[in-house]
Amino acid sequence: MDYLPLFFKLNDRTALLVGGGQVALRKATLLTRAGARVIVVAHKVEPELVELIELHNGQVIIGEYHPALLDEAYLVIAATDDDQLNERVHFDAVERHIPVNVVDNQPLCTFIFPAIVDRSPIVIGISSGGESPVLARLLRAKLETWIPQGYSRLGRLVGQFRQQVKATFSSVERRRIFWEKVLQGQIAEKVFAGRDREARALLETALETADPEHQVGEVYLVGGGPGDPELLTFKALRLMQQADVVLYDQLVSPEIVDLCRRDADRIFVGKRRDNHTLPQAGINELLVKHALQGRRVLRLKGGDPFIFGRGGEELETLKQHNIPFQVVPGITAASACSTYAGIPLTHRNYAQSVKLVTGQLKNRTSDLNFDELVHPNQTIVFYMGLHTLSSLCEQLIAHGKSAATPAAIVSNGTRADQQVLTGTLESLPELQNQAQLPAPALIIVGEVVQLHENLAWFGEEVLHNHGLILPDAH
């Protein structure tokens, strides 16, 4: 390493800042946030900087820099556009063994400022050693999105209980196990959800029992979206990476399953039509079994768990056993697949409403209210309707929908092998009979489908072959 990462405790210590412009203002903002008493010296000082320094009981000196100002300084920053002055500050500080930073002049720095992710008391510093500050800032931006603000409150909560935990658990190992369960379990999740009072109560209860091995587990019901890993939510990814056991469906893409915690137990409970690896009742039993063992259980579903995902049935079972849970929405297939196919579900000129419909009911029938589905100026999206496509089209036409109504099938939507087949209610069944697009697939019916030809954007090559759109082979 070119630099050793260190954290300065500046509370009530003096920092000398030479310079009064916008760069000095940025440095002063960081120093005051760390509790430093800042002395600014410059011929001209920005009003905003003056206000900041006065607010934090610092001092502004209008005039020349002189070495005597270093007598009380714990560290020094030179932020001027005068190279000679910056060099003087550097040499004066080095002579007195005071850490010095000269902005944008790495050779004159004995310490440098990292890019900072502030979740105080959790603080992360990222440095490129002065080689690429922009790259460090880009990495900071990534971490800012990955680390919720709730970590700040979680860090403070932990700090308030640290001594109590130390007194309760005599060994370092038992304290480590306890804190791991706290920081990766229900207590942390309560904090992230803004339920700090409940988190504190749970932490107090955990300490009273003084046995970290017998904490109650929790179930995370997470929507994995339609297949593209980049469509996952931040919360979904966080829970996926902390679960002890993962129950995942056939509709969850391998790329998304790979993002789960590497050492988690993975249980495939995939479902295809008439071919269930595990019946729903068995899945419910597995969720209860692992949660009662104190494990964090991830129930990972394709799309959104509350839109034709049977998530409600699973939660009812958990509720009966008093097992805590939380639900993370996913981007449902209707939204994602239509978007990736260039078919807006609503449009001022064509559709003012959308109906999401399952093509398969509990008794394996498609006994739908077609009178309601044939209303004009609306888009219909059928989930799990590929095997009843002919019947669906026939019934819509029989109930008054024009046979010329545009319709489309989107197969493997958002994935690299996405395929789109367009036609009409009259022609689509025969086109599908020829094309044989595979499940999972959605059927979209409505005037908005005609926009596909102009709006298709996702890696597709238009073959103009009976309306069949295949992935670009290039």
Side-chain angles (χ1 to χ4, degrees), residues 28 40 83 100 108 123 127 160-161 215 228 260 273 318 332 340 354 356 408 419 444 447 452:
V40 174
D83 291 340
V100 59
L108 296 184
V123 179
S127 173
Q160 293 167 12
F161 282 83
Q215 294 189 61
D228 184 351
C260 293
R273 181 172 173 262
L318 298 175
T332 189
Y340 273 55
V354 181
L356 308 184
Q419 295 175 289
I444 304 175
E447 297 300 326
H452 163 76

Side-chain angles (χ1 to χ4, degrees), residues 396-463:
L396 287 171
I397 294 172
H399 285 77
K401 201 76 171 171
S402 170
T405 301
I409 298 172
V410 183
S411 171
N412 291 320
T414 78
R415 305 185 189 187
D417 55 351
Q418 171 179 296
Q419 295 175 289
V420 182
L421 181 63
T422 60
T424 65
L425 285 178
E426 184 177 43
S427 66
L428 192 62
E430 180 55 32
L431 292 175
Q432 167 60 6
N433 187 49
Q434 297 174 22
Q436 292 295 306
L437 268 61
L442 287 182
I443 303 165
I444 304 175
V445 178
E447 297 300 326
V448 292
V449 171
Q450 62 187 289
L451 297 171
H452 163 76
E453 186 174 347
N454 290 327
L455 302 183
W457 62 273
F458 177 61
E460 295 173 338
E461 179 182 4
V462 181
L463 300 182

Side-chain angles (χ1 to χ4, degrees), residues 336-359:
C337 296
S338 62
T339 299
Y340 273 55
I343 303 174
L345 294 180
T346 63
H347 190 285
R348 290 179 63 184
N349 296 333
Y350 301 110
Q352 287 75 53
S353 65
V354 181
K355 286 192 180 295
L356 308 184
V357 184
T358 176

Side-chain angles (χ1 to χ4, degrees), residues 2 22 36 38 51 56-57 67 106 117 160 163 183 234 240-241 250 253 262 264 271 335 370 412 442 469:
D2 293 328
Q22 287 296 316
V38 181
E51 182 179 354
H56 291 86
N57 299 316
Q106 184 185 352
V117 178
Q160 293 167 12
Q163 291 303 317
L183 295 173
F234 293 131
M240 288 164 61
Q241 293 179 344
Q250 178 73 38
S253 68
R262 293 294 181 186
K271 292 183 177 182
S335 175
F370 285 97
N412 291 320
L442 287 182
I469 310 299

Side-chain angles (χ1 to χ4, degrees), residues 163-232:
Q163 291 303 317
Q164 291 174 249
V165 171
K166 189 173 183 179
T168 302
F169 299 96
S170 58
S171 73
V172 173
E173 180 66 16
R174 283 177 62 81
R175 289 198 294 271
R176 181 188 64 79
I177 292 173
F178 177 81
W179 281 126
E180 283 183 351
K181 288 183 175 291
V182 167
L183 295 173
Q184 299 183 73
Q186 296 177 54
I187 295 171
E189 291 306 319
K190 295 291 186 186
V191 172
F192 296 146
R195 296 156 69 177
D196 293 25
R197 188 173 299 176
E198 294 178 41
R200 174 179 288 275
L202 283 173
L203 186 47
E204 290 172 347
T205 300
L207 272 174
E208 289 171 2
T209 61
D211 188 355
E213 298 300 326
H214 292 85
Q215 294 189 61
V216 178
E218 186 175 14
V219 173
Y220 311 138
L221 182 57
V222 172
D228 184 351
E230 292 190 356
L231 298 180
L232 285 169

Side-chain angles (χ1 to χ4, degrees), residues 280-350:
Q280 186 62 51
I283 296 174
N284 296 349
E285 291 174 4
L286 274 179
L287 294 174
V288 172
K289 171 187 172 184
H290 288 287
L292 290 179
Q293 292 173 355
R295 308 183 80 186
R296 293 162 296 181
V297 185
L298 174 70
R299 178 66 176 103
L300 187 58
K301 292 175 171 286
D304 183 278
F306 276 12
I307 300 181
F308 307 126
R310 303 188 72 173
E313 299 172 40
E314 294 173 354
L315 296 190
E316 286 174 336
T317 301
L318 298 175
K319 196 72 174 178
Q320 291 169 5
H321 290 81
N322 295 316
I323 293 171
F325 58 82
Q326 53 183 302
V327 185
V328 181
I331 297 180
T332 189
S335 175
C337 296
S338 62
T339 299
Y340 273 55
I343 303 174
L345 294 180
T346 63
H347 190 285
R348 290 179 63 184
N349 296 333
Y350 301 110

